[in-house]
Amino acid sequence: MTRHLLIAALLAAGLWQLGQGASVQAKALIGQVLLERAWARSDDGHSASPWPGAVSRPVARMRVPHMQVRRLVLDGADTPVLAWGPGMETGPHGHRMIAAHRDTHFRFLEHLEIDHRVELEYRDGLHERWQVVDRQVVDARVTALDMGLAEDLLTLITCYPFDAASAGGPLRLVITLRPEPGPGISPSA
């Protein structure tokens, strides 16, 4: 009897763990679908709410053309926002930071290399093209991101390593991009 109870308890714990992992992936997938709908409903440069009580709204679309990656980016980078998609913060001088989870929306960063390009499209029609200029792994306990930089930078951040057994370790992959002006592209001020 004790053996059967132990097996049932272990099975229940295993199923609960699988459910937790699947719920993160499902939320990431469903979130992007609902955000796409909100993006399509938005007008005049204003974002529509993706669902009642949503903690954020889409502010940009990120594309990595050579990887066929498209993600809607949300306003803010707090934990509740990142559950649904990449989140963006903007510093006082225009430095932008986009963060997302390594096992969902930013899994592709594992393969984003120097000279690769990323595009951002904003609700107001502004398009920006960025080029990767640096990749580094930092320890978040001793390295802080300076959002007050007076440079036009885009920084992409996710947890590292990509194959870590558990989430939330101290290492971060930090990818720095600089603007790439070109025809039809409006660099930010």
Side-chain angles (χ1 to χ4, degrees):
M1 179 68 171
T2 305
R3 181 177 174 190
H4 292 294
L5 189 57
L6 179 62
I7 290 172
L10 289 173
L11 182 60
L15 289 173
W16 181 77
Q17 288 292 329
L18 285 173
Q20 292 290 79
S23 73
V24 169
Q25 298 294 332
K27 189 183 274 190
L29 179 64
I30 291 167
Q32 285 292 302
V33 170
L34 294 173
L35 292 169
E36 283 287 348
R37 290 181 182 169
W39 183 266
R41 285 193 322 265
S42 299
D43 58 4
D44 299 327
H46 299 292
S47 298
S49 181
W51 54 84
V55 295
S56 187
R57 298 169 188 263
V59 294
R61 180 187 307 278
M62 178 181 4
R63 291 187 185 107
V64 185
H66 78 280
M67 293 179 160
Q68 287 106 30
V69 169
R70 269 176 53 158
R71 301 284 187 273
L72 280 169
V73 179
L74 297 164
D75 183 30
D78 296 330
T79 300
V81 172
L82 299 184
W84 298 100
M88 179 166 34
E89 301 270 341
T90 303
H93 305 292
H95 179 194
R96 291 175 229 37
M97 181 274 305
I98 302 176
H101 293 300
R102 66 175 166 81
D103 54 353
T104 55
H105 300 103
F106 268 8
R107 183 69 191 190
F108 73 92
L109 290 187
E110 183 175 16
H111 305 290
L112 193 66
E113 299 293 336
I114 302 292
D115 292 330
H116 284 175
R117 286 165 181 77
V118 173
E119 299 173 1
L120 288 178
E121 174 190 354
Y122 296 92
R123 285 288 346 141
D124 62 4
L126 176 71
H127 286 73
E128 298 173 337
R129 293 172 67 183
W130 299 84
Q131 184 172 5
V132 176
V133 296
D134 189 39
R135 279 179 61 97
Q136 59 181 316
V137 175
V138 301
D139 187 328
R141 297 171 295 192
V142 296
T143 304
L145 184 64
D146 184 359
M147 292 302 294
L149 288 174
E151 292 184 69
D152 202 11
L153 293 176
L154 173 62
T155 305
L156 307 178
I157 300 176
T158 195
C159 290
Y160 189 84
F162 286 93
D163 58 356
S166 61
L171 299 180
R172 302 290 180 266
L173 174 62
V174 178
I175 298 178
T176 305
L177 299 94
R178 294 202 180 274
E180 181 185 83
I185 304 300
S186 304
S188 60

